[in-house]
Amino acid sequence: MSVVAADLLALDRAAQDLLFRAARTANTFTNEPVTDAQVAAIHDLVRYGPTALNGQPLRVLLLRSAQARARLLPHVAGGNRAKTQSAPLTAVLAADIDFHERLPELFPHRPQAKDWLTDRNQRAAQARFNAALQIGYLIVGVRAAGLAAGPMAGFDAAAVGQEFFPDGRHEVLLLLNIGRPGPDAWRDRLPRLPTDQVVWAL
Amino acid sequence: MSVVAADLLALDRAAQDLLFRAARTANTFTNEPVTDAQVAAIHDLVRYGPTALNGQPLRVLLLRSAQARARLLPHVAGGNRAKTQSAPLTAVLAADIDFHERLPELFPHRPQAKDWLTDRNQRAAQARFNAALQIGYLIVGVRAAGLAAGPMAGFDAAAVGQEFFPDGRHEVLLLLNIGRPGPDAWRDRLPRLPTDQVVWAL
């Protein structure tokens, strides 16, 4: 990374560091609580990120109580259990497959948009994809709050879905620990692919 | 949005506005070019965003030439065609389904990780999900460069894949126009779901 490239951005260096360059996936956390007000401030920022048809399918279930956390832990991969137990806050991130029901309100200039999504499989794919975009914004938002995010894919998503979303209309996508980084919160940064190997032009 | 909530974030207000609150999906663009140096600066920032197993499946094909753009247009929905034709830069965003081949280099402390992903369907789902996270980071990064992003889902993804990624190992996910917003670049902001309707606690 050259000095020149960072300076081509409008976002200042401190913010670049906060959100991307110095930010890291945390594996340990301090006991400092993450408040509802902090979560609301994060959500109020990232909810402006774009989604297809403005559908906003992401739903966030915060596991605050010890009882709720205990219901999650059996479904989490062994290597993720200790950090999930010790994080001040763990969020279950899910897509609402029936997000289209709210399109008449969210996409009011095309009231028929809801009817474009009657096929459940197609709708589920769209919900999954757009919720994932929103998870990208959310991870940035957690960092914008000065907190560390710890996304985890190592868990039984179907079992967590049955446990916390028995209605069957939500699909669990990711777990996210949130808090201040604790001791030895991360290893060395893993390598990132260089631009010329992933960005091409025609 | 109260003053208090925004002030709970570590990210300053100007950066909040640049990335989320004032940023909008642009539907028209000026002629000002988006340079390779700008794209490289954006990518150099957002490549630090986290992905599962550090797999980084997102691939970005920039359509710079008129010939390349002409190959795309027949596959784009009518309502998206004019803006795609006039944008200074259009990117085709795809997931590399065989991203796992690089895991020995990208996730070196678990050299066996590549072998966890021999099932193509499972790998495609993982590639799609993590590339979508990366698209979330990329949209934030385009805005960090002071540019407007115009994500578009209205196109024939299979046809665009056959046209630009005939190898069959890439799945096209989204188109992204990039540039400076032109005249009447957007309508009024569409409504966002309030926090208490999408974030719950247990």
Side-chain angles (χ1 to χ4, degrees):
Chain A
M1 173 58 200
S2 65
V3 173
V4 176
D7 293 342
L8 278 175
L9 300 178
L11 188 71
D12 67 70
R13 280 293 195 109
Q16 292 179 37
D17 289 344
L18 179 71
L19 302 181
F20 288 103
R21 294 192 203 282
R24 299 292 309 279
T25 291
N27 293 306
T28 73
F29 296 91
T30 69
N31 291 329
E32 186 182 327
V34 176
T35 66
D36 284 335
Q38 284 175 299
V39 173
I42 292 166
H43 180 260
D44 188 82
L45 181 70
V46 301
R47 69 189 180 129
Y48 293 105
T51 52
L53 304 177
N54 195 36
Q56 309 169 57
L58 180 65
R59 303 294 179 263
V60 178
L61 179 65
L62 306 174
L63 303 184
R64 287 211 169 275
S65 70
Q67 294 91 324
R69 202 74 63 97
R71 289 167 57 194
L72 175 67
L73 287 174
H75 309 301
V76 173
N80 287 331
R81 220 166 275 165
K83 57 187 168 188
T84 304
Q85 200 152 19
S86 68
L89 188 59
T90 298
V92 180
L93 306 179
D96 180 358
I97 308 303
D98 293 340
F99 71 97
H100 69 312
E101 290 178 0
R102 303 206 57 175
L103 287 183
E105 169 197 351
L106 298 176
F107 206 64
H109 54 293
R110 290 273 189 286
Q112 72 276 31
K114 180 174 185 261
D115 304 323
W116 300 340
L117 293 163
T118 48
D119 181 275
R120 193 182 195 276
N121 284 340
Q122 184 201 342
R123 201 166 70 236
Q126 187 163 335
R128 232 178 268 130
F129 178 75
N130 284 280
L133 294 183
Q134 290 186 280
I135 294 172
Y137 310 143
L138 178 64
I139 289 171
V140 172
V142 166
R143 293 166 166 191
L147 297 168
M152 295 182 299
F155 66 101
D156 183 336
V160 173
Q162 280 164 9
E163 182 65 37
F164 292 104
F165 295 96
D167 60 11
R169 72 178 261 173
H170 294 85
E171 191 172 313
V172 174
L173 299 176
L174 200 69
L175 302 178
L176 187 67
N177 290 323
I178 305 173
R180 303 262 178 214
D184 301 318
W186 42 69
R187 313 172 197 202
D188 291 343
R189 167 87 78 181
L190 292 170
R192 293 305 194 273
L193 293 169
T195 301
D196 62 2
Q197 292 182 17
V198 291
V199 181
W200 309 295
L202 280 183
Chain B
M1 173 57 199
S2 66
V3 173
V4 176
D7 292 344
L8 278 176
L9 300 178
L11 188 71
D12 66 70
R13 280 292 197 109
Q16 292 179 36
D17 289 345
L18 179 71
L19 302 181
F20 289 103
R21 294 192 203 281
R24 299 294 309 279
T25 291
N27 293 306
T28 72
F29 297 90
T30 70
N31 290 328
E32 186 181 327
V34 176
T35 67
D36 284 335
Q38 283 176 299
V39 173
I42 292 166
H43 181 259
D44 188 82
L45 181 70
V46 302
R47 69 189 181 129
Y48 292 105
T51 52
L53 305 176
N54 194 37
Q56 308 168 58
L58 180 66
R59 303 294 179 262
V60 178
L61 178 65
L62 305 173
L63 303 185
R64 288 211 169 274
S65 69
Q67 294 91 324
R69 202 74 61 96
R71 288 168 57 194
L72 175 67
L73 287 175
H75 309 300
V76 173
N80 287 331
R81 219 165 275 164
K83 57 187 167 187
T84 304
Q85 200 152 19
S86 69
L89 188 60
T90 298
V92 180
L93 307 180
D96 180 357
I97 308 302
D98 292 341
F99 72 96
H100 68 311
E101 290 178 359
R102 301 204 59 174
L103 287 183
E105 168 197 351
L106 299 177
F107 206 64
H109 54 294
R110 290 274 190 286
Q112 72 276 32
K114 179 174 185 261
D115 304 322
W116 302 339
L117 294 163
T118 48
D119 181 273
R120 194 182 193 275
N121 284 340
Q122 184 202 342
R123 202 166 69 234
Q126 186 163 334
R128 234 177 268 128
F129 178 76
N130 284 280
L133 293 183
Q134 290 185 280
I135 294 172
Y137 310 143
L138 178 64
I139 289 171
V140 172
V142 166
R143 293 165 165 192
L147 298 168
M152 294 182 299
F155 66 101
D156 183 336
V160 173
Q162 280 164 9
E163 181 67 36
F164 292 104
F165 296 97
D167 61 10
R169 72 178 263 173
H170 294 85
E171 191 173 313
V172 174
L173 300 175
L174 200 70
L175 303 179
L176 188 67
N177 289 325
I178 305 174
R180 303 263 177 214
D184 300 317
W186 42 70
R187 310 168 200 209
D188 290 343
R189 167 88 79 180
L190 291 170
R192 294 305 194 273
L193 293 168
T195 301
D196 62 2
Q197 292 183 15
V198 291
V199 181
W200 310 294
L202 280 183

